[in-house]
Amino acid sequence: MRAIPITLLWRCPNLRFRGEHPVKPGLIIGHEPVGVVEELGPGVTGYNVGDRVLVGAITPCGQCRACLSGQLSQCGHGVGYEALGGWRFGNTINGAQAEYLLIPHAQANLAKIPDELTDEQVVLLADIASTGFSGAESGGVKIGDSVVVYAQGPIGLCATVGARLMGASLVIGIDGDENRLRIARELGTDVVLDYREVDTVAEVKRLTGGGADVAIEALGTQETFENCLRALRPGGVLSSLGVYSGKLQMPYDAFAAGIGDYRIVTTLCPGGKERMRRLMEMVRHKRVDLTPLLTHTFTLGQIAEAYELFGERRDGVMKVAIKP
Ligand SMILES: NC(=O)c1ccc[n+]([C@@H]2O[C@H](COP(=O)([O-])OP(=O)(O)OC[C@H]3O[C@@H](n4cnc5c(N)ncnc54)[C@H](O)[C@@H]3O)[C@@H](O)[C@H]2O)c1
Ligand SMILES: [Zn+2]
């Protein structure tokens, strides 16, 4: 398909510089595409050239054991399971920061965009909304739960929105960036805490009467992982979204020596066309509006400049849209 009308800058070029997740040299990156079908491969049915589609960051095959067992992100490409196998764009095949994009397993991955929704309204669903919401879903947030979200970057903010959607009665968002804490408030976080100013674990325990029911990790560091564990009540759920590098340690006291009945779950962004359809329905029926997170737009020709701004987090940048 023609990848652009719109795609998003991705945080992982920064990750590469920080050595957190390797990107194969020469591969086109980018995995949050909205586009128009330019040509259809053999066997792809139910679509027409010219259809406007959203494709998830994760592109499962829909046919392997992993996919058919509901583990689409760990897709084995037609056979068994492969860890992170559903993440292909900009990881194992060329991604979306280009004029054209070849969609793998198109039948399983092209989600038609309802006419009343703009590209800007849906592009954030491909990854950050799907991932962020999944933090709350995998954490099993229930009506009345208290939830703490460590880090309020785009992923953490969407986790916060997800926790509210799932029925949390109290959502506490933690970050050290005033702009992000302000956006967290605007998106409905009940209490925001600046980790530079307060002992966040003590404060979460105080606000929740002993610890949060669910703690969502949305940064990928030892510190935030550990704080999540410490901020949980016994038997609580740590739902981890961050991409970690190096070693992640489990201090025995934070882990109640292994017998605190904690559950730790991790989630790779859910993808595939049904997930995208469901998320678009949430936007269409006005359950969520994430457009405030789309702060900047650049052309493909200006992408280096866009990455500079994004990497340095200048000018209140959250997510950057790239158009032709
Ligand atoms: N699980 C998945 O499928 C998936 C998908 C996309 C991204 N990710 C990962 O999610 C994580 C977050 O991504 P993002 O785009 O929101 O990142 P980001 O870099 O834009 O935001 C990170 C935020 O963390 C805050 N922060 C820094 N130190 C902190 C601390 N000690 N306590 C609390 N907050 C702190 C920063 O101020 C910033 O706002 C990354 O690890 C990314 O790789 C995971
Ligand atoms: Zn599969």
Side-chain angles (χ1 to χ4, degrees):
M1 79 173 184
R2 198 145 35 86
I4 307 280
I6 195 167
T7 183
L8 294 177
L9 288 193
W10 179 43
R11 186 180 177 273
C12 286
N14 304 331
L15 290 183
R16 181 157 63 100
F17 294 135
R18 294 174 197 165
E20 288 176 19
H21 190 90
V23 174
K24 206 160 66 182
L27 207 66
I28 297 171
I29 57 172
H31 54 231
E32 296 165 276
V34 169
V36 175
V37 174
E38 180 80 9
E39 203 181 315
L40 288 163
V44 183
T45 58
Y47 298 93
N48 292 304
V49 168
D51 282 349
R52 199 164 56 103
V53 291
L54 167 69
V55 179
I58 301 299
T59 48
C61 76
Q63 291 302 316
C64 69
R65 262 179 61 209
C67 285
L68 294 172
S69 305
Q71 297 278 328
L72 281 74
S73 302
Q74 317 300 333
C75 168
H77 314 296
V79 277
Y81 285 76
E82 184 188 324
L84 321 186
W87 177 21
R88 306 192 68 192
F89 287 142
N91 189 29
T92 56
I93 61 172
N94 280 330
Q97 286 164 18
E99 287 89 346
Y100 292 89
L101 175 67
L102 187 63
I103 310 296
H105 306 290
Q107 192 70 46
N109 288 297
L110 298 177
K112 286 187 203 172
I113 302 172
D115 286 343
E116 63 260 51
L117 297 183
T118 64
D119 298 343
E120 284 79 2
Q121 280 177 295
V122 300
V123 70
L124 292 166
L125 305 176
D127 184 348
I128 69 158
S130 189
T131 301
F133 295 175
S134 77
E137 293 168 282
S138 298
V141 174
K142 294 192 292 293
I143 290 175
D145 272 352
S146 56
V147 178
V148 60
V149 184
Y150 270 89
Q152 296 287 285
I155 298 288
L157 286 166
C158 288
T160 293
V161 173
R164 279 180 62 101
L165 288 169
M166 297 286 290
S169 55
L170 173 67
V171 184
I172 306 166
I174 294 171
D175 207 288
D177 178 319
E178 276 152 32
N179 183 47
R180 292 178 172 206
L181 290 173
R182 178 185 56 77
I183 296 173
R185 250 183 246 110
E186 285 168 12
L187 289 176
T189 311
D190 301 288
V191 180
V192 300
L193 300 177
D194 187 332
Y195 71 88
R196 298 167 308 174
E197 289 171 5
V198 291
D199 177 343
T200 58
V201 171
E203 192 56 12
V204 171
K205 287 195 162 156
R206 190 186 68 78
L207 288 163
T208 55
D213 296 302
V214 179
I216 301 177
E217 201 289 340
L219 182 59
T221 66
Q222 176 71 37
E223 183 186 345
T224 42
F225 182 86
E226 210 173 303
N227 281 344
C228 278
L229 262 184
R230 293 185 193 279
L232 276 178
R233 65 159 168 79
V237 183
L238 192 172
S239 178
S240 174
L241 296 174
V243 176
Y244 302 88
S245 54
K247 247 189 204 158
L248 185 63
Q249 292 179 326
M250 193 82 79
Y252 86 97
D253 60 324
F255 193 43
I259 49 176
D261 290 341
Y262 295 115
R263 284 194 298 127
I264 299 176
V265 291
T266 70
T267 316
L268 171 58
C269 174
K273 68 181 180 187
E274 172 59 10
R275 173 71 170 179
M276 293 302 117
R277 185 196 69 78
R278 284 172 168 265
L279 295 180
M280 285 193 284
E281 286 298 278
M282 294 297 281
V283 177
R284 195 160 77 87
H285 295 295
K286 306 203 181 334
R287 293 289 189 276
V288 284
D289 174 17
L290 298 171
T291 49
L293 299 184
L294 206 53
T295 52
H296 293 73
T297 302
F298 285 84
T299 64
L300 193 56
Q302 300 168 316
I303 197 163
E305 198 186 319
Y307 265 117
E308 217 175 275
L309 173 110
F310 188 58
E312 291 168 11
R313 250 207 257 158
R314 272 192 274 123
D315 200 14
V317 67
M318 289 297 294
K319 291 296 276 187
V320 179
I322 300 297
K323 290 188 167 188

